[in-house]
Structures are given as structure tokens and as C-alpha cells.
Amino acid sequence: MQEVDLTRYTPAEAVVDGRISAVLIPERAWYDALLSGTGDEPLDRWNSKVHQDLESPTASTDCWTWTASLSEDGYGSFKLGGQKARAHHILWALEHGSPPAYVFGPKGWERVHLGHLCHDRDETCQGGPSCLHRRCVSPEHLALQSASQNARAGHGGAHQRRKTHCPSSHAYAEFGFSYTDPHGTTRRYCRACQHGLRAAQFVGSRKGLEVAA
């Protein structure tokens, strides 16, 4: 259970993990600026940075791809009201209001994420900052998720351990081994991919992999 200073947030209700739940919404300068902006100027500026073709050059074919600056963790970044916002939050905020910061669940207050459903459906995507779905800003591909649900949908933990093949379809039993990264986390590793045999859509990703001694 996370301790939260309730005086800093506005209580409300929102659909999180598919059900109506009590949430806490923080003050956000970018959201106030979005509502009080002159005409459609903020949205026009946002639209100019988005590829909305149904033949998206990245991620799923129906993603709306952010083409401007990215945050360190791979999400689109948009400056509004003197504050940086995640680009995929903008249209969500116009349709549903400012995304909440916390949701109240069985274990108390838990952080809320604006998850990418296009990533959740893509079994080949490993997640992380290089995940191309993080650049998607289509409101139809987004949903509010609790931290625990977002972690499960992020293809991590047990989901990864159950996989028998890497994204390029190499069998881990034949080509893989485990290694410990500099942070002490044990990960699986495909030698065939590291030697240039990755599937075409994955070539160039995950550069600079270091195997700890």
C-alpha cells in the first residue's frame, strides 16, 4: 500500500483496468494550458508532429506515430504551458480529462499508467525504451491501467519466462543462455540474434548489449 498525501489531489472516478474505480487527479500545468489555449493552436501543433496514416512506419499498422522528440524512456514528449507532457496524454486528456495519478484498489493507492493496448497485443514486442508502441498517440490504443496490470501487460516477469523462442523465432533451448546485467538482473539472451541473424523488423534495435562477466 502506498501512502499518498490526499490534500494534493482531486478525488474522482475513472475506468481503470476495465472497471470504475476511485482515483486521484493531480494538478497539471500542461492540462490547464490545453484547456485555456487560444483556439486550436495547441492541438494543431500536436497534430503536426503525428503520422496518422493507416500504414504507420512503426509499431502496428494502425498506430498514430509520434515523430518529434522522445523522453529518455521512449515516449513522445510535448511541451505545453511551460511543462513537458507525454504526447499520448494529450488527446486522452481532451476526451477523458487529465489522467489520474493513483487508483484505489484491493491493496490501497496504486499508481495509474496510460497503457498502450497495441503493445499489449504484440507478443513479439519486448517492451522497454526501444518499444515502438510507446510512440503511439492514438486514443483508441490507450487505456488506464493500475501499476500491477501495466506490469503484467508489459510482457515482463513470468510472461517472459514462459517464452520458448526469441522475437526472431530462434529457440532459446538451442541458441539462448542467461546472463546477469550490471544491475544484477538475470536475463535471457539469444546468441543467433547477437551475431546478426535477427528478423528484419528487429535489426538495429537493442544495440550495445553488455554481458556481465
Side-chain angles (χ1 to χ4, degrees):
M1 180 174 177
Q2 186 164 351
E3 291 187 9
V4 178
D5 181 359
L6 300 181
T7 63
R8 299 175 54 197
Y9 302 92
T10 301
E13 288 187 339
V15 177
V16 182
D17 296 344
R19 59 180 180 272
I20 297 177
S21 304
V23 298
L24 297 176
I25 300 176
E27 293 184 2
R28 290 185 168 107
W30 65 262
Y31 181 62
D32 293 339
L34 183 65
L35 296 182
S36 61
T38 304
D40 293 329
E41 187 277 330
L43 191 56
D44 288 342
R45 185 162 53 88
W46 184 91
N47 274 326
S48 69
K49 305 175 188 296
V50 178
H51 180 102
Q52 293 187 17
D53 247 335
L54 290 182
E55 293 298 328
S56 174
T58 59
S60 302
T61 56
D62 58 344
C63 284
W64 292 3
T65 305
W66 185 254
T67 62
S69 61
L70 302 175
S71 62
E72 290 185 359
D73 48 1
Y75 294 97
S77 181
F78 185 72
K79 194 168 185 179
L80 189 60
Q83 184 182 43
K84 285 186 177 180
R86 291 192 167 181
H88 63 295
H89 285 200
I90 300 300
L91 278 193
W92 178 273
L94 283 176
E95 294 191 12
H96 304 284
S98 180
Y102 295 95
V103 59
F104 192 79
K107 297 182 180 180
W109 291 108
E110 191 175 349
R111 282 202 171 273
V112 176
H113 296 265
L114 190 52
H116 283 85
L117 301 179
C118 47
H119 165 74
D120 300 351
R121 294 190 294 263
D122 186 354
E123 291 290 326
T124 68
C125 185
Q126 301 293 300
S130 62
C131 170
L132 296 177
H133 295 283
R134 291 189 176 188
R135 304 181 191 183
C136 179
V137 294
S138 170
E140 294 185 0
H141 287 196
L142 303 174
L144 294 174
Q145 298 173 336
S146 62
S148 53
Q149 172 61 26
N150 187 258
R152 287 192 293 270
H155 303 174
H159 175 91
Q160 295 289 8
R161 290 190 292 272
R162 286 195 299 268
K163 289 185 176 180
T164 59
H165 291 71
C166 79
S168 293
S169 298
H170 301 126
Y172 282 123
E174 182 178 356
F175 297 102
F177 69 91
S178 297
Y179 73 98
T180 302
D181 69 15
H183 302 288
T185 301
T186 300
R187 303 180 184 276
R188 285 194 296 185
Y189 170 73
C190 179
R191 285 173 288 194
C193 286
Q194 182 65 8
H195 286 91
L197 299 179
R198 291 180 71 78
Q201 66 266 38
F202 296 104
V203 171
S205 64
R206 297 177 177 266
K207 292 182 178 179
L209 178 65
E210 294 182 0
V211 179

